[in-house]
Amino acid sequence: MSSLPREVIKWVQSLSLSFSVKNPKRAFNNGFLIAEIFSRYFPADIQMFSFDYGEGMKSKRDNWNQLIEFFKRRGLPIVIKDIDSLINNDNNSTIEFVKQVYTLLTERALMPPIKVYDTDAQEQQSLLLKEREMVKLPRNDLDVFDPDQEDTKQEQSIMKESTSRSPQKSLAITKGPQRTIPQTLELDSYKAVEVKDIQIKAINQSVAQIRAHKELNSLHSQNAKMQNSENQSQMNMSQNGSQNFLGAGDGASRILSPETMREERQIKKSITDILHEIILAKNENDENNEFSAIRVEGDMVTAFFDNIDKFSDEFVIGFIQEMEADLDHLTSTLYQSVNDLSAFYSYIIIMLKRLHELSPSFAATLAFSKQLANRIVEDSDSPQEEFQSFFLFHLLKAYLQIAKIEINKRASVAELIYAHSSHDLSLRIKVVQDLKSRIKDEDFMYRMLSYLVDQEETFNEDWFDSFYFSALVGLSRSRPSIRVFSLKIINTICRHHADGILDVTQKIKGLAKSNHWEIKAQCLLFSCNILKYLRKYSYLLKSSKDDTSGGNKDAQQINVNAPGKDLNIDRNYAKQLISDNLDIINLCFNPYAPRSVQKLGIYELQSVLNDFKVLYRPYVETFLGLDPENKMIVLGQDENMIGKEFYLSLASNSDEYKVVNNPDCLDRVNVARALADYIIENELESLEGIHMELILFATEQQMVPKTHDSWFKIFQKLKEYLFVAICDQDIYIEALRVLFERFFSTDQLKFLIFEESMKTFPKTLDVLYSNEFDACKEEFKRIAEEIINTNEDPTLVNWLKSVIINFKENYTQAYQESNITELGERISS
């Protein structure tokens, strides 16, 4: 900011603008920060959501044109002749403009180029007014005047000059002793901006008094006009008591006597008054004196919201709760004029901008904003058509401005937009059309569309059609992010109405080959949704060679009432769709897939595994390479994560993915079978810890008789590995548990296993007592003594005795060196 004088730099920094000013030549040329500066002085006249912090010429010209209208409307002595000169900063015109704005708003001398000439002391008195008079109209000020008393010519002149030429300023940023504005400011001219002379007359009344006189004069004039037109009077009288939402303010739609006007002004409160009272009440009950620590140099309400991010979450949430408690009064006040409505939502926008997206205070603000939106659109007394116009032409733009700047708040902004339009399908469709026309950045546009369509809970063909075509176009874009959000839109539609998007399967299959992890993740989600839809036809994959024996029939079925349960399509078409979507899953979800896709798939596939059992093999193989935290969750070792929805953060620049973990939906037999096949086919030398964890998980539920044949086949494949694991100091405890507590203790199944193990197990003991792992030996001795001494299972006891005797007779040396010789002698005798 070296091109600006030091005092101007300090002034700009004191305003706490939305963007830091590192290069003034570029920072101010789009008009956005200029508008924000004036909004600090004229908060009721400039709504920042109508300005765009964009780099395009259209956005810049639009901002400056709005400022020109504002200067004319407020009678500010600024004439801009050439907008493009300011945008291009020709001859440093933008820098000079900022300097002159500084002089105009602060009444502080700046040399050069501004020359300030002293004026008569009489004309420098009491121009700056008390802060309370700047922000609201106290009721007591109205009682000073007799409503029927005519204004003097001097008062009329004062009102004319003060209201048309002297800008109303907030003292929120004025520091130090109060200053006066000189009678004349002469500023060096330059190409782009012309500043007129400022003529200020001395004021011997307060702003409150001037306002009161102005309102009374307006009222007298209105009554005179009404008396000249009886028909017009009757029409306005019929509107008595109605709410003037976008009108001229209080009294604009009714004919009232001056006495009645004064009484109603004493009763009615502006939205600023209400917020002021809530803030005061909250501050009185604040034990930590948080608001007292904030320096207030003007309007308390503005100061409160300007510092909203400096308060604790508890304080902000308490303030929001106070607003919720006074919601009826709040909404009725918002209905009375557009000024109250726009002022209140300006404050809401400040909160949404400044609060951190992960803070409880932001979540509370979002919830309150949605509650207020729903309240307005559902309230029969609200001016819904006018509010809809305000939303479409002003508020929607403000929300999109937040979403453009705050990437992590875009999903929250979509929730707000939907809350304002959820009641009206035509309004929602218009919102979608506005998004497409207003947002030029396709990445941003598709992201917002994906968030918005995700808010819908029921299927509506017209609504989803407004997204579907854009999504199909987005799939062909080269940018991965646009493809990702296009796929998200399609997946949302698929969850509601898969039948309408089956034909896009081949396109998704081609995208599944992409190297971009999030494209793969979305393709995986698509195929999971389609397979849920087609579960009725899962039998088409089975052949005569399929192993139909076993299988845990008690495994929970997920989404049995999915849209496809009553599906009736061509069987060949259904079989092709199933085959294609299984291919997509295999392309996206495997041991070599990106880690993020593996994490997502390990939860999403739970809902389709039991209908399409062929997926158990890639599921188990991928699970083995998963990180320990997610392994623990999938195996149900964290009880707090069973059956609960939670979010996966898969990458710093992606959205969170909501998943649910339900280990009970997994068929334990198929999990064990897939693991055994993987171990045999890969010719592993021994089991590892993760293998034992998975075997424990698969065998922890009771092995029911109808699954015994399947379990026996699994045992035949794994027995050598399990027996060797007894001798492994890392997994011997788990191996002994699996053998003695699961396989050797299951009725009927154990007879088959005992016969299979009679020759193999004594050899295992020979290996066990030939190594140096004493802990393994002690654990086996403990288990053997416990079984034989308790004698609770005679079949197991007799089998174990036979094994030890066999070990004694055939492996004499190992037996004599073992710690079970005493047990063996007792058995033999």
Side-chain angles (χ1 to χ4, degrees), residues 295-348:
R295 184 176 181 181
V296 179
E297 298 180 334
D299 176 9
M300 177 184 289
V301 177
T302 302
F304 175 83
F305 286 99
D306 281 345
N307 294 278
I308 195 69
D309 54 332
K310 299 178 182 177
F311 302 126
S312 67
D313 286 319
E314 181 181 2
F315 185 84
V316 177
I317 292 173
F319 168 74
I320 294 173
Q321 290 172 343
E322 292 291 336
M323 289 198 295
E324 291 175 342
D326 202 22
L327 192 58
D328 290 338
H329 189 197
L330 202 65
T331 52
S332 62
T333 303
L334 294 180
Y335 297 163
Q336 68 186 22
S337 76
V338 70
N339 289 333
D340 283 323
L341 184 72
S342 60
F344 181 74
Y345 268 101
S346 294
Y347 294 134
I348 294 295

Side-chain angles (χ1 to χ4, degrees), residues 497-734:
H497 188 61
D499 186 49
I501 62 172
L502 295 176
D503 292 342
V504 80
T505 299
Q506 287 297 323
K507 180 69 173 178
I508 304 299
K509 189 174 180 179
L511 292 174
K513 300 175 183 178
S514 170
N515 293 325
H516 191 278
W517 76 266
E518 202 162 10
I519 292 179
K520 284 184 175 293
Q522 290 299 322
C523 292
L524 175 68
L525 293 177
F526 172 85
S527 291
C528 287
N529 288 328
I530 295 297
L531 290 181
K532 292 175 191 176
Y533 183 72
L534 296 172
R535 60 177 7 120
K536 176 181 177 180
Y537 292 94
S538 61
Y539 71 91
L540 295 175
L541 292 182
K542 295 179 180 178
S543 66
S544 58
K545 295 182 180 180
D546 290 338
D547 182 7
T548 58
S549 63
N552 186 359
K553 305 301 182 183
D554 296 327
Q556 294 183 13
Q557 299 293 320
I558 304 299
N559 294 331
V560 293
N561 294 322
K565 75 182 185 73
D566 297 324
L567 186 63
N568 186 21
I569 62 177
D570 180 75
R571 292 177 59 192
N572 292 329
Y573 182 47
K575 187 173 182 179
Q576 183 61 48
L577 286 171
I578 291 174
S579 178
D580 288 338
N581 282 283
L582 289 175
D583 288 343
I584 292 173
I585 291 176
N586 287 321
L587 283 169
C588 299
F589 182 81
N590 54 66
Y592 310 102
R595 291 291 187 183
S596 296
V597 185
Q598 291 179 355
K599 291 179 183 179
L600 180 64
I602 212 73
Y603 299 105
E604 289 294 334
L605 285 173
Q606 288 179 355
S607 60
V608 296
L609 285 172
N610 290 330
D611 291 298
F612 304 93
K613 292 183 172 56
V614 68
L615 292 173
Y616 268 104
R617 179 61 181 275
Y619 186 87
V620 168
E621 289 189 34
T622 305
F623 169 85
L624 294 175
L626 209 59
D627 62 280
E629 181 182 359
N630 282 283
K631 285 177 183 175
M632 182 181 68
I633 294 174
V634 172
L635 296 180
Q637 296 174 359
D638 185 349
E639 295 182 356
N640 295 325
M641 302 297 288
I642 296 178
K644 303 291 181 62
E645 289 185 339
F646 62 98
Y647 287 90
L648 288 175
S649 296
L650 301 179
S652 59
N653 60 343
S654 73
D655 298 318
E656 293 183 326
Y657 287 79
K658 184 168 67 174
V659 297
V660 60
N661 177 56
N662 194 344
D664 289 338
C665 75
L666 299 177
D667 186 332
R668 309 300 174 102
V669 174
N670 282 297
V671 169
R673 181 187 288 132
L675 177 62
D677 291 342
Y678 168 79
I679 292 171
I680 298 299
E681 291 179 16
N682 286 275
E683 299 179 350
L684 299 185
E685 294 183 359
S686 60
L687 298 179
E688 298 179 2
I690 183 57
H691 301 142
M692 290 306 308
E693 286 188 41
L694 200 53
I695 293 172
L696 280 170
F697 167 79
T699 57
E700 70 178 346
Q701 293 184 352
Q702 184 180 8
M703 300 175 183
V704 295
K706 55 188 175 183
T707 64
H708 285 174
D709 288 343
S710 297
W711 280 116
F712 182 62
K713 292 179 181 178
I714 293 170
F715 179 79
Q716 287 179 313
K717 295 179 180 180
L718 292 177
K719 68 177 181 178
E720 300 290 344
Y721 292 95
L722 291 173
F723 290 161
V724 171
I726 295 176
C727 309
D728 190 329
Q729 61 179 347
D730 294 326
I731 57 175
Y732 69 93
I733 293 179
E734 291 82 0

Side-chain angles (χ1 to χ4, degrees), residues 180-383:
T180 58
I181 302 177
Q183 181 180 11
T184 305
L185 291 180
E186 294 186 1
L187 296 91
D188 293 348
S189 60
Y190 54 93
K191 181 177 180 180
V193 181
E194 174 186 338
V195 181
K196 297 179 179 178
D197 289 344
I198 303 176
Q199 300 292 336
I200 304 294
K201 292 188 177 182
I203 295 179
N204 54 15
Q205 290 179 308
S206 71
V207 170
Q209 293 171 331
I210 294 174
R211 287 178 180 170
H213 275 289
K214 183 179 180 181
E215 289 178 355
L216 292 177
N217 284 340
S218 176
L219 184 63
H220 293 323
S221 176
Q222 182 185 26
N223 285 335
K225 291 180 181 179
M226 293 301 109
Q227 291 173 358
N228 293 333
S229 177
E230 183 178 354
N231 292 335
Q232 183 68 22
S233 175
Q234 292 176 352
M235 179 183 71
N236 281 277
M237 288 296 290
S238 67
Q239 297 176 351
N240 186 26
S242 64
Q243 295 159 333
N244 181 28
F245 189 76
L246 294 175
D250 294 338
S253 61
R254 290 178 284 179
I255 303 175
L256 302 175
S257 66
E259 294 83 356
T260 304
M261 171 66 86
R262 182 176 64 183
E263 292 174 359
E264 291 215 354
R265 289 287 298 189
Q266 290 178 338
I267 297 173
K268 283 187 176 181
K269 296 179 181 180
S270 70
I271 197 66
T272 307
D273 295 329
I274 296 174
L275 293 174
H276 189 274
E277 293 174 359
I278 293 176
I279 293 170
L280 285 178
K282 178 61 183 169
N283 188 42
E284 290 176 0
N285 298 325
D286 177 26
E287 297 179 355
N288 298 323
N289 297 320
E290 291 191 43
F291 188 68
S292 301
I294 300 299
R295 184 176 181 181
V296 179
E297 298 180 334
D299 176 9
M300 177 184 289
V301 177
T302 302
F304 175 83
F305 286 99
D306 281 345
N307 294 278
I308 195 69
D309 54 332
K310 299 178 182 177
F311 302 126
S312 67
D313 286 319
E314 181 181 2
F315 185 84
V316 177
I317 292 173
F319 168 74
I320 294 173
Q321 290 172 343
E322 292 291 336
M323 289 198 295
E324 291 175 342
D326 202 22
L327 192 58
D328 290 338
H329 189 197
L330 202 65
T331 52
S332 62
T333 303
L334 294 180
Y335 297 163
Q336 68 186 22
S337 76
V338 70
N339 289 333
D340 283 323
L341 184 72
S342 60
F344 181 74
Y345 268 101
S346 294
Y347 294 134
I348 294 295
I349 294 298
I350 292 175
M351 295 180 73
L352 293 171
K353 278 184 176 180
R354 298 195 175 186
L355 295 175
H356 192 276
E357 64 271 9
L358 298 180
S359 66
S361 54
F362 178 82
T365 303
L366 179 65
F368 172 76
S369 302
K370 291 163 62 177
Q371 178 186 3
L372 180 62
N374 291 327
R375 175 70 173 268
I376 293 175
V377 299
E378 294 173 0
D379 189 354
S380 58
D381 294 330
S382 70

Side-chain angles (χ1 to χ4, degrees), residues 310-512:
K310 299 178 182 177
F311 302 126
S312 67
D313 286 319
E314 181 181 2
F315 185 84
V316 177
I317 292 173
F319 168 74
I320 294 173
Q321 290 172 343
E322 292 291 336
M323 289 198 295
E324 291 175 342
D326 202 22
L327 192 58
D328 290 338
H329 189 197
L330 202 65
T331 52
S332 62
T333 303
L334 294 180
Y335 297 163
Q336 68 186 22
S337 76
V338 70
N339 289 333
D340 283 323
L341 184 72
S342 60
F344 181 74
Y345 268 101
S346 294
Y347 294 134
I348 294 295
I349 294 298
I350 292 175
M351 295 180 73
L352 293 171
K353 278 184 176 180
R354 298 195 175 186
L355 295 175
H356 192 276
E357 64 271 9
L358 298 180
S359 66
S361 54
F362 178 82
T365 303
L366 179 65
F368 172 76
S369 302
K370 291 163 62 177
Q371 178 186 3
L372 180 62
N374 291 327
R375 175 70 173 268
I376 293 175
V377 299
E378 294 173 0
D379 189 354
S380 58
D381 294 330
S382 70
Q384 295 189 16
E385 292 185 4
E386 291 85 350
F387 182 77
Q388 179 174 317
S389 298
F390 174 77
F391 165 66
L392 284 175
F393 296 108
H394 300 286
L395 200 52
L396 178 59
K397 188 174 182 179
Y399 288 154
L400 292 179
Q401 186 67 27
I402 296 176
K404 182 179 180 180
I405 299 171
E406 303 284 347
I407 296 177
N408 294 329
K409 294 180 180 178
R410 289 176 176 177
S412 300
V413 169
E415 291 182 36
L416 270 177
I417 293 174
Y418 188 81
H420 283 283
S421 57
S422 60
H423 64 294
D424 188 336
L425 175 62
S426 60
L427 177 59
R428 295 204 305 277
I429 294 176
K430 183 168 179 56
V431 167
V432 174
Q433 294 171 345
D434 284 356
L435 290 181
K436 295 178 182 178
S437 61
R438 289 186 180 185
I439 302 177
K440 305 306 179 185
D441 182 351
E442 278 197 325
D443 187 282
F444 179 25
M445 187 265 288
Y446 274 96
R447 186 185 290 261
M448 291 304 298
L449 289 179
S450 71
Y451 292 153
L452 191 58
V453 72
D454 193 47
Q455 302 300 313
E456 190 71 23
E457 297 181 355
T458 58
F459 173 72
N460 184 291
E461 186 173 0
D462 293 335
W463 168 246
F464 285 118
D465 278 351
S466 61
F467 294 88
Y468 187 47
F469 177 75
S470 296
L472 291 178
V473 173
L475 293 181
S476 301
R477 292 289 190 263
S478 58
R479 293 179 63 180
S481 57
I482 295 178
R483 292 185 176 187
V484 167
F485 291 110
S486 298
L487 285 166
K488 285 187 175 184
I489 294 172
I490 289 175
N491 281 329
T492 300
I493 299 173
C494 184
R495 290 197 300 270
H496 292 278
H497 188 61
D499 186 49
I501 62 172
L502 295 176
D503 292 342
V504 80
T505 299
Q506 287 297 323
K507 180 69 173 178
I508 304 299
K509 189 174 180 179
L511 292 174

Side-chain angles (χ1 to χ4, degrees), residues 20-151:
S20 61
V21 180
K22 297 180 180 179
N23 184 351
K25 295 179 180 180
R26 297 189 60 182
F28 292 104
N29 71 345
N30 65 0
F32 182 88
L33 293 183
I34 297 295
E36 194 168 14
I37 289 174
F38 277 97
S39 73
R40 296 293 194 269
Y41 289 82
F42 303 89
D45 295 283
I46 289 187
Q47 310 302 328
M48 287 308 300
F49 53 70
S50 64
F51 291 84
D52 183 11
Y53 192 77
E55 293 299 324
M57 289 296 293
K58 183 178 179 181
S59 297
K60 294 179 180 180
R61 289 194 180 101
D62 179 64
N63 289 344
W64 282 108
N65 284 326
Q66 290 187 67
L67 284 170
I68 291 172
E69 292 299 320
F70 161 70
F71 297 149
K72 293 178 180 178
R73 185 169 66 251
R74 291 297 305 179
L76 298 182
I78 299 176
V79 176
I80 298 178
K81 298 178 179 179
D82 187 354
I83 291 177
D84 288 346
S85 293
L86 283 172
I87 293 175
N88 297 323
N89 193 33
D90 293 343
N91 299 321
N92 282 331
S93 59
T94 308
I95 301 301
E96 294 302 317
F97 181 77
V98 175
K99 293 179 183 178
Q100 297 195 34
V101 167
Y102 166 82
T103 300
L104 176 66
L105 295 179
T106 65
E107 304 102 31
R108 298 172 183 171
L110 186 64
M111 297 291 290
I114 301 178
K115 300 177 182 179
V116 181
Y117 297 86
D118 294 331
T119 59
D120 190 278
Q122 182 180 1
E123 296 190 355
Q124 294 184 0
Q125 55 183 326
S126 77
L127 254 294
L128 297 178
L129 305 174
K130 295 180 180 179
E131 67 175 65
R132 187 173 294 277
E133 293 172 336
M134 286 296 183
V135 295
K136 68 174 185 177
L137 182 63
R139 292 193 295 271
N140 294 337
D141 286 350
L142 291 173
D143 296 333
V144 176
F145 299 99
D146 180 358
D148 296 325
Q149 180 182 355
E150 285 189 17
D151 296 319

